[in-house]
Amino acid sequence: MGGASLLRLVSAALLALAAGMVAESAVPPPPLPVLPIPNAAQLAWQRREVIMFFHFGMNTFTDSEWGTGAEPPSLFAPAALNASQWMDAAEAAGASLAILVAKHHDGFCLWPSAYTAHSVRASPWRGDLVRDFTDAARARGVDPGLYLSPWDRHDARYGRETEYNEYYLAQLRELLAGYGSVSEIWFDGAKGKNETNMTYHFQEWFQTVRQLQGAINIFSDAGPDVRWVGDEQGSAGTTCWSTVNRSSITIGAEGIEKYINEGDPRGTDWVPPECDVSIRPGWFWHRNETAKPLSQLLRIYYNSVGRNCVLLLNAPPNTTGLVEDADIARLREFRAAVTRIFGTDLAKGSAARASSERGAGFGAGNVLDGSDDTYWAAATAEEDGLKNGYWIELRLRPAASAARPFNVVRIQEHVALGQRVERHEVYVDGVAVATGTTVGHKRLHRLARPVAGRTVKVWFAARRGVPLVSAVGLHLDPYATDVM
Ligand code: FUL
């Protein structure tokens, strides 16, 4: 055998070996994303699902919701303020992030700001609530967030564009440079009508935030990271896209509510919605108000978390400086109910099959493994020829199906690669039980009554690209009679 033919033989053998190795060990890569997609901080935020809000300040002591700014600091006198006790509320609600209103519209600052005399420094209390709050949160494994009202009814600079924007930015720097890492900053769009008006320099504000805090999520009506959902009832649209065109939203403007409530399937910016709602009628504590009943809090959960949103739940501390025991008990009841409903997945142990599968690592069974990171991916449209459409079917364990009816269907998309589903239908033994449009991070369907069956099929009737589904779960909500 000549040298050249030996070389040919060896290289052919090597090639065959390499081809074999590829066939044995290679898995298909994930499909291309459908843009836009969330960044890491937005993705982590979405998975929190429930976060806490604490409205406490001058209004707590004057029994109001919007202070005038004329309140003397001497009124701020909580006898036993204890931010660590507030974290009992966050813990009870199962929240991993808690946001403090550091300054509301009345302009009174809960930290000793160097730029104004209108702060806790001039009050009988004299502490630093931003310090107490951020320390207490971290000590309990809760990430802190802050709210700094743009609208300020106290400060004389308000209305003088450069001066007030400088003042506001200086305070933003105090908050974001002086208290360690902050996970969310809230820019409220509220502004009184028929009062002094002015232009806020949002671009300067946002860029300053980015400079000071790398992994923070910036909230406003228009993001850039997280958007307002457009109402204060904790209710997203039944169609709810994480995408919008930021340039179509003017912060604080009237008439934007519907657009931000539903999002925009053609939006080029990933700005998922946050549903802010108080567990009491007011944002601030009032003696005669009490917490919403469990049934209402659960309805809010379904209408927010169950519609691709994060729920921001407000629990207002009282004039003593404590969250009322009854409120904490209600939050605990709420979390216990959520755990009771979703802690058991009746789909567990089913056999899953789908219209098509992309290959190893993307099988239908991934929707049952409890992880947001694994998902069923259908074969691409070209491979599948779209002859079957897109569907996934669970065949329930025989013992489970007869004995254990369910009245909640949970569907989750792997949104890390973009939000895709535009329309879907759910069938139990061939009978339609629910239909909807978007899915997103999580879509919860409450059925009119519990059903039992052998098969549950979800049909993805319209979508952008192939659907990527990380979970299909079935649950029994024993509280459903209260909430339908
Ligand atoms: C609104 C404010 O006017 C309310 O007082 C409250 O702070 C709520 C969260 O945002 O725009």
Side-chain angles (χ1 to χ4, degrees):
M1 191 183 276
S5 44
L6 183 65
L7 197 63
R8 261 199 306 276
L9 199 68
V10 170
S11 44
L14 280 175
L15 272 176
L17 195 68
M21 280 164 61
V22 167
E24 266 165 40
S25 62
V27 295
L32 286 174
V34 171
L35 297 179
I37 57 173
N39 66 30
Q42 290 172 316
L43 207 49
W45 172 89
Q46 186 88 51
R47 292 177 180 180
R48 294 180 188 273
E49 297 198 351
V50 176
I51 54 192
M52 285 301 294
F53 215 177
F54 291 102
H55 276 71
F56 178 73
M58 207 44 103
N59 295 335
T60 313
F61 298 88
T62 59
D63 197 23
S64 56
E65 282 289 312
W66 278 8
T68 63
E71 302 82 6
S74 59
L75 291 179
F76 186 85
L81 177 50
N82 177 3
S84 167
Q85 189 263 0
W86 301 12
M87 296 306 147
D88 293 349
E91 208 167 77
S96 62
L97 164 64
I99 300 176
L100 170 71
V101 173
K103 176 183 91 164
H104 203 247
H105 310 326
D106 55 71
F108 182 73
C109 301
L110 299 187
W111 78 103
S113 173
Y115 302 99
T116 178
H118 199 56
S119 82
V120 279
R121 204 207 309 263
S123 80
W125 183 67
R126 282 211 184 79
D128 179 345
L129 190 48
V130 174
R131 178 76 59 211
D132 290 0
F133 182 86
T134 50
D135 285 351
R138 290 188 195 109
R140 299 285 278 273
V142 173
D143 295 324
L146 296 168
Y147 164 119
L148 182 67
S149 172
W151 184 34
D152 187 323
R153 300 175 98 181
H154 173 84
D155 201 87
R157 287 163 283 199
Y158 193 84
R160 301 207 281 268
E161 196 173 318
T162 302
E163 266 184 87
Y164 182 76
N165 275 288
E166 286 173 355
Y167 171 61
Y168 188 89
L169 261 176
Q171 294 204 316
L172 205 52
R173 282 195 200 96
E174 285 185 310
L175 294 177
L176 298 182
Y179 296 90
S181 103
V182 174
S183 295
E184 184 167 336
I185 180 86
W186 235 77
F187 294 106
D188 192 339
K191 216 184 215 182
K193 291 189 195 88
N194 311 319
E195 294 203 31
T196 312
N197 199 0
M198 64 169 288
T199 301
Y200 303 139
H201 289 197
F202 283 114
Q203 289 321 313
E204 284 88 333
W205 298 3
F206 295 164
Q207 290 195 32
T208 301
V209 172
R210 290 267 189 261
Q211 185 181 73
L212 299 172
Q213 297 276 340
I216 199 167
N217 280 306
I218 302 176
F219 170 102
S220 84
D221 293 350
D225 302 318
V226 176
R227 75 176 194 260
W228 184 42
V229 75
D231 67 52
E232 293 183 338
Q233 279 73 54
S235 189
T238 49
T239 294
C240 188
W241 291 95
S242 294
T243 49
V244 289
N245 282 320
R246 289 193 55 222
S247 57
S248 309
I249 310 167
T250 304
I251 300 174
E254 272 177 33
I256 58 173
E257 292 82 356
K258 188 174 175 344
Y259 184 75
I260 58 180
N261 195 243
E262 296 183 354
D264 184 343
R266 281 171 299 282
T268 54
D269 303 300
W270 186 273
V271 192
E274 179 170 290
C275 299
D276 58 318
V277 63
S278 185
I279 64 165
R280 286 164 164 249
W283 290 103
F284 287 86
W285 179 85
H286 306 286
R287 189 173 303 283
N288 297 326
E289 293 185 351
T290 54
K292 296 179 164 82
L294 174 65
S295 57
Q296 202 175 339
L297 293 181
L298 281 176
R299 193 179 317 128
I300 288 169
Y301 180 86
Y302 280 105
N303 291 347
S304 55
V305 176
R307 293 180 183 167
N308 188 36
C309 294
V310 167
L311 171 57
L312 174 58
L313 215 42
N314 177 68
N318 61 20
T319 46
T320 309
L322 300 171
V323 179
E324 302 229 331
D325 290 343
D327 291 5
I328 295 181
R330 182 54 45 81
L331 290 168
R332 197 166 285 125
E333 221 184 319
F334 164 70
R335 176 49 60 182
V338 170
T339 304
R340 182 161 171 209
I341 300 165
F342 297 101
T344 303
D345 183 359
L346 299 166
K348 209 165 175 236
S350 315
R353 62 189 193 104
S355 47
S356 66
E357 287 177 356
R358 185 173 176 82
F362 300 99
N366 285 349
V367 303
L368 298 168
D369 69 1
S371 163
D372 288 352
D373 295 315
T374 61
Y375 51 93
W376 160 61
T380 57
E382 304 92 79
E383 285 158 4
D384 189 46
L386 261 185
K387 54 184 181 298
N388 298 318
Y390 294 106
W391 53 262
I392 186 161
E393 184 183 77
L394 307 181
R395 183 162 291 273
L396 305 181
R397 283 176 301 150
S401 56
R404 309 185 74 181
F406 56 88
N407 56 2
V408 178
V409 178
R410 173 174 52 91
I411 312 171
Q412 298 188 234
E413 275 187 83
H414 183 69
V415 292
L417 292 177
Q419 189 179 347
R420 296 158 179 249
V421 177
E422 294 172 318
R423 197 155 46 81
H424 64 284
E425 296 165 9
V426 184
Y427 296 86
V428 176
D429 289 348
V431 178
V433 296
T435 65
T437 50
T438 49
V439 172
H441 169 69
K442 186 172 278 187
R443 180 67 192 262
L444 300 173
H445 286 288
R446 280 188 303 170
L447 311 183
R449 63 191 66 80
V451 293
R454 296 295 307 278
T455 60
V456 175
K457 186 171 187 170
V458 186
W459 164 265
F460 298 98
R463 71 274 118 192
R464 308 153 72 217
V466 293
L468 306 180
V469 182
S470 66
V472 177
L474 305 172
H475 306 276
L476 181 65
D477 178 347
Y479 312 89
T481 47
D482 293 335
V483 293
M484 293 311 292

